Amino acid sequence: MRTSRIRTAALAAATAALGLALTACGGSSDDNGGGKASDGGRSAGSSGSAEGATVGAGKDSASASASGASAGAGTGTGKEAAAKGNGAKASAAGVRACDGQEMSYSVLHRFAKQRGEHLLITATNADSKPCYVTSYPSVMLGDTVGVLPHSGKDTPGGGKALVVKPGGKVYAAVNLFADSARTHTSSDLSIAMLDHTGDAGPGAGTEAFDAKGVPSKFTWTSADVTNWNTAKPYDY
């Protein structure tokens, strides 16, 4: 019985040892073969994860950069657009409208009896404070009572407020057309300022002069006028 138990124990021990050996061999095999694969898997996984993180970060960074650039561009454009829009609206902020009483006018008759004949109106702010003009001047020629219409060929922009500093100048032109036998002739005209509502301020009578400073008579059948501008119109 004792011998049988010893043999049984020895056999069990041997079986257990063999199982451990096989397990160890198997584990070693797995560690070496599968372990490499596993290491490779971990390495690949780690590398893949790292690459994925890098790629992901790259994509995120690129996306973020693109988004930032777009947002920056959009914001910049928005700011510029807003600045331009606000600038146009705020150009006369805190500045009163010119009513004409602070203005000194001069009228130059150009290209008499030629193509392109017109009266160049120069308005100078003779006051000590700035004011703004808008639209086009209200003009009546000679002894006529009709106010000249705005030129249909004029460039847009008459709704803008142009600030005229003390001593500053703005310009407009009266286009003269003599296209029939029924004409008017004069060297006089009346000029007034128009506000945003189209109302005219006090009118000022003046004469037209030629380049030599001599009063100049002009002839017209019809005429129109351009917007105020900071540059001379038709500056040939």
Side-chain angles (χ1 to χ4, degrees):
M1 294 289 293
R2 183 178 181 183
T3 304
S4 178
R5 283 199 298 270
I6 291 172
R7 287 179 179 175
T8 302
L11 181 61
T15 303
L18 180 61
L20 289 173
L22 291 172
T23 302
C25 290
S28 176
S29 175
D30 287 343
D31 285 345
N32 290 336
K36 285 183 180 178
S38 177
D39 287 345
R42 282 197 298 272
S43 299
S46 300
S47 176
S49 299
E51 288 176 6
T54 304
V55 171
K59 286 182 179 178
D60 290 343
S61 299
S63 177
S65 299
S67 298
S70 299
T75 303
T77 304
K79 284 183 179 177
E80 289 174 9
K84 289 180 181 179
N86 292 336
K89 292 179 182 178
S91 60
V95 179
R96 64 180 179 80
C98 304
D99 62 14
Q101 298 186 80
E102 67 285 278
M103 288 295 181
S104 171
Y105 299 103
S106 65
V107 180
L108 176 63
H109 185 195
R110 305 185 74 186
F111 308 106
K113 299 179 181 179
Q114 298 178 43
R115 184 180 180 83
E117 181 179 6
H118 66 275
L119 305 176
L120 174 64
I121 300 174
T122 302
T124 304
N125 184 1
D127 199 3
S128 60
K129 296 180 179 180
C131 62
Y132 73 87
V133 300
T134 188
S135 190
Y136 52 91
S138 175
V139 178
M140 292 189 292
L141 301 178
D143 57 1
T144 61
V145 294
V147 176
L148 298 184
H150 178 232
S151 173
K153 295 182 179 180
D154 198 10
T155 55
K160 293 181 180 178
L162 301 178
V163 175
V164 189
K165 295 180 180 180
K169 303 177 186 295
V170 286
Y171 307 91
V174 173
N175 301 309
L176 302 168
F177 308 101
D179 46 16
S180 75
R182 299 184 62 181
T183 59
H184 306 277
T185 300
S186 181
S187 61
D188 302 322
L189 62 155
S190 176
I191 305 170
M193 289 288 175
L194 291 175
D195 61 20
H196 281 292
T197 67
D199 291 334
T206 185
E207 276 190 291
F209 295 85
D210 63 17
K212 296 179 180 179
V214 177
S216 182
K217 288 188 177 182
F218 50 89
T219 301
W220 77 99
T221 302
S222 61
D224 57 30
V225 62
T226 68
N227 290 321
W228 288 115
N229 206 310
T230 54
K232 294 178 181 179
Y234 315 135
D235 191 15
Y236 298 103

